[in-house]
Each structure stands twice: as structure tokens, then as C-alpha cells.
Amino acid sequence: MTNPNDRALSRADRQAMPLALDVAVEIAKQHGVCIRPVLLRRMDVHTGITEDVNVPCGTTMEAKCPSCAKRNRYLRMAQCREGWHLEAEPSTTPDEPTEEQRWLVEFRADMQAQRDAAEQAGHDTTDLNAVLIGLDEEINAVGMRGSLRGRTAPKRNRSTKRRQDAPDLPKKVRQNTTLGRTFTSSDGMVYRPSLFITLTLPSYGRIRAGQGVPVDPNTYDYPRAARDALHFSKLVDRFVQNLRRVAGYDVQYFSSVEPQKRLAPHLHMAVRGTMARAEVKAIAAATYHQVWWPSVDEVKFNGEQLPVWVKRADLPDGETYPDGQDGDYLDPATGEVLPTWHEALDRLDADEATEPLHVVRFGPQVDVQGVLGGTPDADQCIRYLSKYLTKSLGDTLDPDNPAQHQHAARMIEALHYEPCSAACPNWLRYGVQPKGAKAGMTPGRCRGKAHKPEHLGYAGRRVLVSRKWSNKTLSEHKRDRRTWVMEALGLADEPTDPHRYLWKPVPAGDGTIPSLALRLLRMVAERQRWRATLLALEAKATALPTPDPSSTREAA
Ligand SMILES: [Zn+2]
Ligand SMILES: [Zn+2]
């Protein structure tokens, strides 16, 4: 334990000792400091010096603390502003993996090894799992396509019947540009109009005004609401495809998926360039997504009567089954092997009479607003786009409104046995083996995000940005800020040698770890020093460009 009389402690540290953790957390929040920092031990291979570094949870973990969520929101706002009214084509040649990407991949490999070792030793791997999920996101965010695990099965070729029909919309010849049209007024001013679109899902039953709860819960269409939420991101993809088809140029967008009070996801989208309002509305009305999945009309296994897992005969050394499964689920009464995911889809393809399991469409409420770059209107839309990014879909519930909680509970119930993906264990309930089935799967016990109260069916990304939105990825925006701060301080930014540091988690039970309260207060003190220096520099250097007001928040 740390001794309060230890001379090595700074005054701030000693003052911090009697403070309870919750006080430290409050102070950290006020200063925009991460309240759930991950402690990592970093060895500098150049100098041999080892130090413990508090890495903000927002850089490695999926679940972000309020401070990191807020900082992330500012970054997203900067990213949105950057691309909306772009005047020249963004350069798009980022195909060579950058140093940062390589570094992330190596760091991930390192963390994976740590996690596997921890698991082998029977230690808790919750934190390391979260770090890995965060790193995967980060790796995708810096522009790499797909995940490191790669594709396991070849992509299916659907029969023509199953192809999603292109809706009946006028099609223009595609110009090779991502920029919108400009308009020049009689006095020579150039206007660069763009669009702000809001799309919602249809009605599932009448809603009590202001409360977001059904007038009649018994007739409210929860199953439909659940399926629409599950497949919402596919519908958004279709909308973008159709928008591009009709617009006649390579439309770029920045959008966010946010919760409505009635707990349905809806979409705000900043679109670069402009189109007629009526055209956008026609596209939204014509857009749909068909879900070609096996039927879930009939419950085949339930309660104690669940399919049983039987291992397949071993293959010769080094060979694996093409579907990646080394066993199958059997009907417990007859011993019959249930169709695998691919067999079930083949049966669907062969049956001319089948209907899609579900068809998602937008509701009739479509809002289209014209926005000019650099106007207060544009700023307001950007704030609106990022308004709920710090909240999860389930967070909009009023704690004092029992009707809202009952509404959320009914939605969760509707999602309970609904298959959330091809790999969902719920397929066993309907007599189909989930894709990539393995031992230990139980219907109703899927751990997918979509079934959880905080996601309410929507497990996709909250921010969707097209590839040619701006010249920068989110990580580059982060780095921009850091570089600005370093330059302002007259410090050269560290050269990014990807092999300079070796990282590992600090073992639990290491006696030298300071308490979380102490770590938080040290981070606050650091942040304050940083800020004071920065403010002094800003006062002196009048020649410096005005920084973005939120950039000081990035200094860490
Ligand atoms: Zn954090
Ligand atoms: Zn699931």
C-alpha cells in the first residue's frame, strides 16, 4: 500500500489520499479525464525504461466512460464538419498499410497472446477481451478492410430469384465525382448546398405523445419492431446504394444511428451535395431490404427438448471440414441431423414458393433539409448528428417512468428468441444449425449485442461514414489534434517507431499499482499542467491560428 508520508509522492498525490474513489471520479469527469483507464506496462526498447501508462478506455475498449464518449463526440463533430462541404475531391490512395496500422496489428497479436496465457492460467480475461474488441475496432477505423480473422466460408451465390430487386427508380449516368453541384449567384457568390436527411422506421402501433410508450401494448407490433431494428443497418446500406444510383454521382455521407423515444433506431445523415427533396423522399419510399433466412414460424425444440451436439468422425491430420464445424446438432428424439446453415439456405433457394422471412422499409416520415456550408444551420445539424453518441440506444429511458421500462422489457422479450445473425444459437429452436455451429449452444442464450437491453436489436455501428467523406480517418483526426498541441508546446511530435515499445497488462495483485483514485487524480493533475501551459502559449503566440475550442481536451 502507498504510504501517505512517502516523500516520493507529489503534494497533489498526498492530498489525494483521503479522498474516496467516487470523489476522484467526479473530479476526473469534470476535467474530461477518462474514469476507467486501462493500466498497461510499457517498456521502451530504446532506453530500457519501463513505466505504467494509463490508457484512456476510449482508445482500447468498446464500452466508453462518459469522458471518453464526450471526447469521441467532439472528434466525430470535427470529422463531420471536415467532409460535408468539401471543395475538392479527397485523395484516396491509402492502400499501403501505414505504420500505425502495422503497430496496431502487432500490438493486437501481443494482447491476444497475453489473453490466451491468462486464460490458460485460469485468470479472469474480461479486461483483456475488452481490449481486444477495442483494438479490432481501432484497426478497422484506421482503414483496414475486414477483420483479422478473415472469411471462413466462401461467399454464397444466390439464385437470381433471391437477388434484391432494384426498386423502380430513375437511374442517372454516374459522374466520376464525390462533390455536389455549386451555384453562383448574380453577384458572384458560390453556394455549396448539401442535405441533412432524417429517416425513421414505420409505426408499430399508436404511441402516447411525449412518452414514447404504446397506447395499447397488446396490439403494438413488437415482433416487427424487433426485426426492423435487427436489420436496420442493411436497410441503410440499400438506401445509400439507391441514393447513388439516382443522384448520378458518388454520393458521400456521414450518418449516425440514434434511438427514438419509442426505442426504434432512426438515422440522421449529412449528405455532400444536393438533390430535389421529392427525389430523396421517392428513394426512401422505394427502398427495402429482404431477409432471406429460414422460417421461424414453427418452434421445433423447446424447454428440455433441445438438439444435442454430436462430434463428427475425425478427419485425417491437418484437414478440417469445409464448413468449419467438427460436429452437428441432432434431433434428440429421432437422432436426425438438423440441416446446417448452408443446407437450410439451399433448401430456401430450391423452393420457388418461399417468401423472405422479413422485409424492412422506412416509415413515411422522411425529413430532408437543405444546408449551406459554414452556416449556423450546418453547425446545428452537426451538433444534432452527434447529440446522442454518448448514449446507448437503451439509455433514453426515464428512470421514473415505469411505462417506459415495461415497453423496453417487452421489446427485449420480443428479441429473446429472434435470430440476430446467421450464427445465433436461437436457430436451434427452429430446427436449423446456426452458421459455424459448435458445442454448447442453447437457444435463448445468445450473447450477441443485439439481444442486450442497451442495444435493443441494433448491433451495428452508431456512426457510419462513407470512404470518401474526408481525407482523414478518425485516427488521423486524433493525431491532428495531438500534433497541434505538440507544436504549440514547441515539442517535436514523437517519431512513430512501431517497434519502440513493448506493452503488457499489469498483473492483478501487483503491489506497486496505485489505487484507481490516485491514478485518476494524477491524470487530472497532468491534464491541468498541460492546459495551463497551453493557455500561456496561446496568450503569447497571437500569430498562431485559432485552435478548435475542443482541441485542448485532446491533450493527454
Ligand atoms: Zn474512458
Ligand atoms: Zn443472437
Side-chain angles (χ1 to χ4, degrees):
M1 245 352 267
T2 326
N3 177 349
N5 298 319
D6 186 341
R7 289 268 176 103
L9 285 177
S10 73
R11 202 173 121 247
D13 285 345
R14 257 177 290 132
Q15 282 175 342
M17 306 247 20
L19 285 178
L21 178 61
D22 47 356
V23 179
V25 165
E26 275 316 304
I27 294 172
K29 274 196 211 159
Q30 277 169 22
H31 286 82
V33 163
C34 176
I35 61 163
R36 284 197 288 273
V38 182
L39 196 64
L40 291 175
R41 190 155 288 172
R42 186 176 80 171
M43 211 264 278
D44 185 333
V45 297
H46 292 184
T47 63
I49 293 171
T50 294
E51 63 181 329
D52 289 350
V53 181
N54 285 303
V55 180
C57 74
T59 56
T60 50
M61 278 200 212
E62 192 186 38
K64 293 180 177 79
C65 77
S67 302
C68 290
K70 209 163 147 191
R71 187 158 53 232
N72 189 47
R73 184 181 168 225
Y74 285 115
L75 281 168
R76 286 299 192 182
M77 286 169 79
Q79 191 188 21
C80 183
R81 196 171 291 122
E82 176 104 5
W84 203 357
H85 298 90
L86 222 55
E87 291 172 18
E89 290 294 343
S91 68
T92 44
T93 46
D95 289 320
E96 277 286 297
T98 61
E99 287 292 279
E100 184 184 9
Q101 287 171 337
R102 271 194 217 117
W103 179 86
L104 277 167
V105 170
E106 281 171 22
F107 184 40
R108 193 195 183 284
D110 221 30
M111 285 293 127
Q112 180 77 50
Q114 297 285 348
R115 196 212 78 95
D116 294 347
E119 193 182 47
Q120 285 258 308
H123 295 148
D124 179 23
T125 59
T126 318
D127 282 356
L128 285 167
N129 288 342
V131 169
L132 285 175
I133 291 169
L135 282 169
D136 277 344
E137 283 205 339
E138 192 76 1
I139 287 165
N140 284 326
V142 296
M144 278 198 209
R145 298 271 156 185
S147 90
L148 294 173
R149 274 161 248 126
R151 200 180 268 288
T152 49
K155 209 172 159 59
R156 286 177 64 81
N157 282 320
R158 290 240 171 87
S159 72
T160 21
K161 186 172 84 79
R162 304 269 176 262
R163 284 210 190 110
Q164 308 266 346
D165 292 328
D168 190 15
L169 287 167
K171 193 180 166 181
K172 279 191 205 119
V173 178
R174 170 98 55 105
Q175 307 280 318
N176 190 21
T177 177
T178 73
L179 304 178
R181 281 179 297 165
T182 56
F183 300 88
T184 309
S185 69
S186 52
D187 56 357
M189 281 281 283
V190 176
Y191 293 96
R192 203 169 278 286
S194 286
L195 294 176
F196 185 70
I197 303 171
T198 301
L199 297 169
T200 49
L201 284 167
S203 166
Y204 308 113
R206 273 184 60 208
I207 290 290
R208 233 176 263 288
Q211 286 203 56
V213 299
V215 172
D216 179 6
N218 295 319
T219 58
Y220 190 83
D221 197 345
Y222 284 102
R224 178 157 205 101
R227 283 181 195 172
D228 279 2
L230 283 169
H231 302 287
F232 187 67
S233 46
K234 281 282 170 23
L235 185 65
V236 174
D237 286 350
R238 298 265 165 232
F239 176 72
V240 171
Q241 283 167 18
N242 292 335
L243 199 65
R244 286 183 173 154
R245 190 175 284 136
V246 177
Y249 67 103
D250 191 6
V251 179
Q252 302 298 307
Y253 62 92
F254 179 104
S255 58
S256 65
V257 176
E258 298 192 335
Q260 282 183 298
K261 230 181 188 157
R262 60 174 181 151
L263 305 178
H266 75 156
L267 183 86
H268 296 301
M269 183 179 259
V271 169
R272 184 153 80 229
T274 193
M275 290 169 79
R277 246 168 250 222
E279 239 173 357
V280 178
K281 291 193 175 186
I283 296 166
T287 297
Y288 62 91
H289 170 69
Q290 296 175 323
V291 183
W292 287 105
W293 277 357
S295 165
V296 296
D297 289 345
E298 195 191 327
V299 175
K300 298 204 171 136
F301 303 100
N302 199 0
E304 299 290 295
Q305 284 293 90
L306 293 178
V308 287
W309 175 256
V310 175
K311 215 167 165 306
R312 293 177 188 167
D314 280 334
L315 284 176
D317 266 358
E319 278 184 51
T320 50
Y321 289 96
D323 60 3
Q325 290 182 211
D326 64 355
D328 286 290
Y329 279 98
L330 269 53
D331 183 322
T334 65
E336 199 187 336
V337 176
L338 301 184
T340 64
W341 180 251
H342 285 278
E343 284 164 357
L345 289 193
D346 286 343
R347 282 182 203 182
L348 259 187
D349 278 353
D351 181 357
E352 287 299 315
T354 40
E355 297 286 314
L357 170 70
H358 186 59
V359 181
V360 209
R361 291 177 184 278
F362 292 114
Q365 273 188 28
V366 179
D367 191 69
V368 187
Q369 204 183 319
V371 179
L372 287 174
T375 58
D377 258 10
D379 272 351
Q380 204 193 342
C381 288
I382 291 168
R383 274 196 299 278
Y384 203 70
L385 262 166
S386 57
K387 190 171 161 194
Y388 293 104
L389 286 186
T390 56
K391 291 192 159 76
S392 69
L393 255 60
D395 267 355
T396 46
L397 297 181
D398 174 357
D400 300 326
N401 188 333
Q404 281 188 10
H405 286 265
Q406 281 155 17
H407 179 46
R410 281 186 217 104
M411 184 73 182
I412 289 300
E413 199 187 302
L415 285 160
H416 188 68
Y417 283 119
E418 197 64 45
C420 67
S421 69
C424 185
N426 284 349
W427 284 113
L428 292 174
R429 181 176 171 87
Y430 309 105
V432 172
Q433 298 198 51
K435 187 178 176 186
K438 47 183 189 290
M441 292 179 132
T442 310
R445 295 223 196 119
C446 176
R447 305 207 340 208
K449 255 165 102 171
H451 302 282
K452 296 190 171 148
E454 61 268 39
H455 296 285
L456 292 165
Y458 180 76
R461 285 173 162 264
R462 294 287 300 281
V463 177
L464 310 155
V465 190
S466 62
R467 222 161 55 83
K468 299 175 195 164
W469 176 253
S470 69
N471 284 304
K472 290 172 192 151
T473 63
L474 191 60
S475 313
E476 284 168 325
H477 280 284
K478 274 188 202 166
R479 218 166 29 221
D480 268 8
R481 302 216 160 177
R482 188 181 145 77
T483 306
W484 185 85
V485 171
M486 298 300 273
E487 277 170 9
L489 290 170
L491 300 169
D493 209 344
E494 279 175 59
T496 46
D497 174 357
H499 308 291
R500 177 155 183 185
Y501 299 112
L502 290 175
W503 297 80
K504 53 181 183 180
V506 178
D510 183 325
T512 64
I513 304 175
S515 69
L516 178 60
L518 202 52
R519 284 163 57 205
L520 292 184
L521 291 168
R522 278 183 189 160
M523 287 165 78
V524 169
E526 240 167 74
R527 177 70 50 102
Q528 279 175 314
R529 269 202 298 281
W530 224 181
R531 250 188 215 165
T533 320
L534 207 58
L535 283 174
L537 274 170
E538 271 179 49
K540 264 195 270 171
T542 42
L544 271 179
T546 318
D548 181 297
S550 49
S551 57
T552 47
R553 285 169 225 269
E554 255 307 281

